[in-house]
Amino acid sequence: MDCVLLASGSKGNCIYIGNETDAVVIDAGIGYLYRTLGEYQLPAENVRGLLVTHEHSDHVRSAKAFLKSAHIPVAASGGTLSEMERNGMIPLSSEKILLGKGIEAEFGTLRTAAFATYHDAREPTGFIIDDGDSRIGVCLDTHKV
């Protein structure tokens, strides 16, 4: 699997994780995300979902626009999904996938599990992405491990 850090920091956070056929994007805190994937020569057509660690603007700034253009589901904890919906960050037409302790989801060949993290957000999570050959864990903005 490839893991490409597209942005990190208070100006925006975004990570691409994928194999030859399928990918997910974790957080959408940078503008023009769809175009950015192309600039990095990452196949946007392979992206099967947007996973969101928490609802702070540097993680969701372009979520709504990306979800509209990519036509993919958004996956996050119940608290994060609720806050994103309350703040109009998810298009009404978008599929929402609940991820949390004991709840896994598949995005093509990628299996995804969430785990709780510690941050000043509603219900922050980290993610483990597994394609059967490799496993990548992502934990952002956590105050303790």
Side-chain angles (χ1 to χ4, degrees):
M1 269 192 303
D2 293 320
C3 179
V4 181
L5 180 64
L6 300 173
S8 178
S10 59
K11 292 186 179 183
N13 293 275
C14 186
I15 300 170
Y16 172 96
I17 297 175
N19 58 26
E20 302 81 28
T21 59
D22 302 299
V24 293
V25 170
I26 299 179
D27 290 342
I30 58 173
Y32 307 106
L33 178 50
Y34 213 80
R35 184 174 70 193
T36 301
L37 292 173
E39 290 170 359
Y40 278 81
Q41 298 181 335
L42 298 169
E45 66 275 6
N46 288 0
V47 177
R48 307 291 180 234
L50 171 64
L51 283 58
V52 180
T53 60
H54 63 286
E55 69 277 2
H56 290 168
S57 65
D58 59 322
H59 294 262
V60 298
R61 183 173 296 119
S62 66
K64 188 172 186 175
F66 183 61
L67 290 167
K68 277 185 174 181
S69 62
H71 305 289
I72 57 173
V74 58
S77 68
T80 298
L81 287 172
S82 175
E83 284 298 306
M84 289 179 70
E85 285 181 310
R86 188 175 70 78
N87 292 309
M89 298 304 299
I90 302 174
L92 294 175
S93 61
S94 289
E95 177 186 358
K96 294 171 266 320
I97 298 174
L98 178 66
L99 287 175
K101 186 176 181 179
I103 303 171
E104 295 184 1
E106 290 186 6
F107 298 90
T109 59
L110 306 178
R111 290 185 312 280
T112 305
F115 56 91
T117 62
Y118 301 92
H119 191 45
D120 60 347
R122 177 89 182 271
E123 191 180 359
T125 55
F127 300 105
I128 297 170
I129 314 299
D130 187 325
D131 73 351
D133 293 323
S134 302
R135 179 181 281 183
I136 296 174
V138 175
C139 181
L140 302 173
D141 293 11
T142 193
H143 290 244
K144 62 181 177 178
V145 178

